[in-house]
Short mmCIF file of all heavy atoms in Angstrom, two decimals:
data_model
loop_
_atom_site.label_atom_id
_atom_site.label_comp_id
_atom_site.label_asym_id
_atom_site.label_seq_id
_atom_site.Cartn_x
_atom_site.Cartn_y
_atom_site.Cartn_z
N SER A 531 -152.55 -116.32 2.92
CA SER A 531 -153.56 -116.19 4.14
C SER A 531 -153.23 -117.25 5.16
O SER A 531 -153.10 -118.56 4.80
CB SER A 531 -154.90 -116.26 3.62
OG SER A 531 -155.78 -116.24 4.65
N ASP A 532 -153.32 -116.78 6.43
CA ASP A 532 -153.22 -117.82 7.48
C ASP A 532 -154.72 -118.24 8.07
O ASP A 532 -154.70 -118.93 9.08
CB ASP A 532 -152.30 -117.35 8.64
CG ASP A 532 -153.01 -116.07 9.40
OD1 ASP A 532 -154.09 -115.66 9.06
OD2 ASP A 532 -152.17 -115.48 10.22
N SER A 533 -155.62 -117.61 7.47
CA SER A 533 -157.09 -117.85 7.98
C SER A 533 -158.15 -117.84 6.90
O SER A 533 -157.83 -117.46 5.81
CB SER A 533 -157.42 -116.77 9.00
OG SER A 533 -156.45 -116.58 10.07
N ARG A 534 -159.29 -118.37 7.22
CA ARG A 534 -160.45 -118.25 6.45
C ARG A 534 -161.11 -116.93 6.94
O ARG A 534 -161.18 -116.59 8.02
CB ARG A 534 -161.47 -119.36 6.62
CG ARG A 534 -162.86 -119.11 6.11
CD ARG A 534 -162.98 -119.18 4.61
NE ARG A 534 -164.12 -118.28 4.10
CZ ARG A 534 -164.49 -118.22 2.94
NH1 ARG A 534 -164.08 -119.09 2.05
NH2 ARG A 534 -165.47 -117.43 2.58
N GLY A 535 -161.62 -116.14 5.88
CA GLY A 535 -162.20 -114.76 6.11
C GLY A 535 -162.72 -114.23 4.90
O GLY A 535 -162.89 -114.84 3.76
N LYS A 536 -162.90 -112.88 4.96
CA LYS A 536 -163.30 -112.10 3.88
C LYS A 536 -162.41 -110.91 3.73
O LYS A 536 -162.03 -110.36 4.67
CB LYS A 536 -164.88 -111.59 3.92
CG LYS A 536 -165.12 -110.85 5.12
CD LYS A 536 -166.68 -110.58 5.26
CE LYS A 536 -167.09 -109.83 6.50
NZ LYS A 536 -168.50 -109.60 6.67
N ILE A 537 -162.19 -110.31 2.47
CA ILE A 537 -161.39 -109.21 2.37
C ILE A 537 -161.81 -108.31 1.25
O ILE A 537 -162.64 -108.62 0.42
CB ILE A 537 -159.88 -109.78 1.97
CG1 ILE A 537 -158.86 -108.92 2.20
CG2 ILE A 537 -159.98 -110.28 0.51
CD1 ILE A 537 -157.41 -109.50 2.26
N THR A 538 -161.34 -107.04 1.36
CA THR A 538 -161.77 -105.97 0.45
C THR A 538 -161.47 -106.33 -1.06
O THR A 538 -160.47 -106.96 -1.31
CB THR A 538 -161.05 -104.71 0.79
OG1 THR A 538 -161.27 -103.65 -0.19
CG2 THR A 538 -159.61 -104.84 0.86
N PRO A 539 -162.27 -105.86 -1.86
CA PRO A 539 -162.06 -106.10 -3.40
C PRO A 539 -160.86 -105.38 -3.87
O PRO A 539 -160.45 -105.70 -5.11
CB PRO A 539 -163.45 -105.66 -4.00
CG PRO A 539 -163.99 -104.55 -3.08
CD PRO A 539 -163.60 -105.10 -1.78
N VAL A 540 -160.28 -104.54 -3.17
CA VAL A 540 -159.07 -103.93 -3.69
C VAL A 540 -157.83 -104.92 -3.75
O VAL A 540 -156.84 -104.71 -4.36
CB VAL A 540 -158.65 -102.72 -2.94
CG1 VAL A 540 -157.96 -103.08 -1.55
CG2 VAL A 540 -157.82 -101.68 -3.55
N VAL A 541 -158.11 -106.03 -3.19
CA VAL A 541 -156.95 -107.16 -3.28
C VAL A 541 -157.39 -108.11 -4.29
O VAL A 541 -158.57 -108.37 -4.47
CB VAL A 541 -156.58 -107.75 -1.90
CG1 VAL A 541 -156.24 -106.58 -0.97
CG2 VAL A 541 -157.65 -108.64 -1.41
N HIS A 542 -156.31 -108.85 -4.66
CA HIS A 542 -156.62 -109.96 -5.56
C HIS A 542 -156.37 -111.28 -4.76
O HIS A 542 -155.27 -111.46 -4.21
CB HIS A 542 -155.65 -110.06 -6.78
CG HIS A 542 -155.73 -108.74 -7.65
ND1 HIS A 542 -156.88 -108.35 -8.38
CD2 HIS A 542 -154.73 -107.80 -7.71
CE1 HIS A 542 -156.56 -107.17 -8.92
NE2 HIS A 542 -155.33 -106.82 -8.57
N VAL A 543 -157.38 -112.16 -4.73
CA VAL A 543 -157.31 -113.42 -4.00
C VAL A 543 -156.98 -114.49 -5.17
O VAL A 543 -157.78 -114.54 -6.10
CB VAL A 543 -158.48 -113.86 -3.29
CG1 VAL A 543 -158.43 -115.20 -2.70
CG2 VAL A 543 -158.79 -112.75 -2.29
N CYS A 544 -155.92 -115.25 -5.05
CA CYS A 544 -155.34 -116.03 -6.31
C CYS A 544 -154.97 -117.47 -5.85
O CYS A 544 -154.73 -117.71 -4.70
CB CYS A 544 -154.19 -115.28 -6.92
SG CYS A 544 -154.45 -113.53 -7.28
N LYS A 545 -154.95 -118.25 -6.94
CA LYS A 545 -154.30 -119.63 -6.81
C LYS A 545 -153.21 -119.54 -7.91
O LYS A 545 -153.14 -118.71 -8.81
CB LYS A 545 -155.24 -120.73 -7.16
CG LYS A 545 -155.82 -120.78 -8.53
CD LYS A 545 -156.82 -121.88 -8.78
CE LYS A 545 -157.17 -121.95 -10.15
NZ LYS A 545 -158.19 -123.12 -10.42
N THR A 546 -152.27 -120.47 -7.86
CA THR A 546 -151.23 -120.48 -8.82
C THR A 546 -151.04 -121.83 -9.49
O THR A 546 -151.71 -122.84 -8.99
CB THR A 546 -149.84 -120.17 -8.11
OG1 THR A 546 -149.48 -121.20 -7.21
CG2 THR A 546 -150.06 -118.91 -7.28
#
Side-chain angles (χ1 to χ4, degrees):
S531 174
D532 67 6
S533 306
R534 164 71 210 191
K536 59 184 176 183
I537 201 163
T538 171
V540 78
V541 308
H542 306 291
V543 179
C544 308
K545 66 178 181 179
T546 71

